[in-house]
Amino acid sequence: MTDAYNTDDWKGYCDFKLVFPKHKTVNHQDGYVSKTGVNTNQIESVWKHIRRTFKTHIKVAKHHVYLYAKEAAYKFNKIPSFEIVMLCLI
């Protein structure tokens, strides 16, 4: 489990601080990374991967969405690290 939870500054996340004391936000109007280094790149990468996985299916049944999400999570976790890819290319 991570020790910090980063989100953008959408007002719907304002109560996160009550549950996650280390919750930090970034204002995307000011930039994609805050002055303190907070960003949401990791979760945006995960969502991009999930959307790409869903597009490979002809139809996504609502009652099976959790299975498609599990498939996307499995594939995302199997992505090799940058170092492994570079070693294979050398």
Side-chain angles (χ1 to χ4, degrees):
M1 184 178 252
T2 62
D3 58 350
Y5 298 92
N6 301 342
T7 63
D8 57 19
D9 63 344
W10 179 58
K11 65 181 179 178
Y13 301 136
C14 65
D15 291 336
F16 272 29
K17 197 79 165 169
L18 301 172
V19 179
F20 305 110
K22 296 182 180 181
H23 174 242
K24 298 177 184 173
T25 62
V26 59
N27 183 346
H28 286 301
Q29 290 181 344
D30 294 340
Y32 286 97
V33 179
S34 72
K35 294 176 183 172
T36 59
V38 175
N39 66 64
T40 56
N41 291 342
Q42 291 173 325
I43 191 62
E44 288 174 8
S45 173
V46 171
W47 280 115
K48 181 179 179 180
H49 185 77
I50 289 172
R51 282 191 301 270
R52 192 178 316 134
T53 300
F54 275 46
K55 288 180 182 179
T56 62
H57 298 284
I58 296 171
K59 184 175 180 180
V60 177
K62 288 182 182 179
H63 60 280
H64 289 303
V65 167
Y66 74 98
L67 292 172
Y68 296 115
K70 282 178 70 172
E71 174 191 9
Y74 174 81
K75 289 179 178 179
F76 185 80
N77 289 327
K78 293 296 180 184
I79 295 173
S81 69
F82 178 76
E83 292 82 14
I84 292 173
V85 171
M86 293 311 293
L87 287 173
C88 291
L89 291 175
I90 296 177

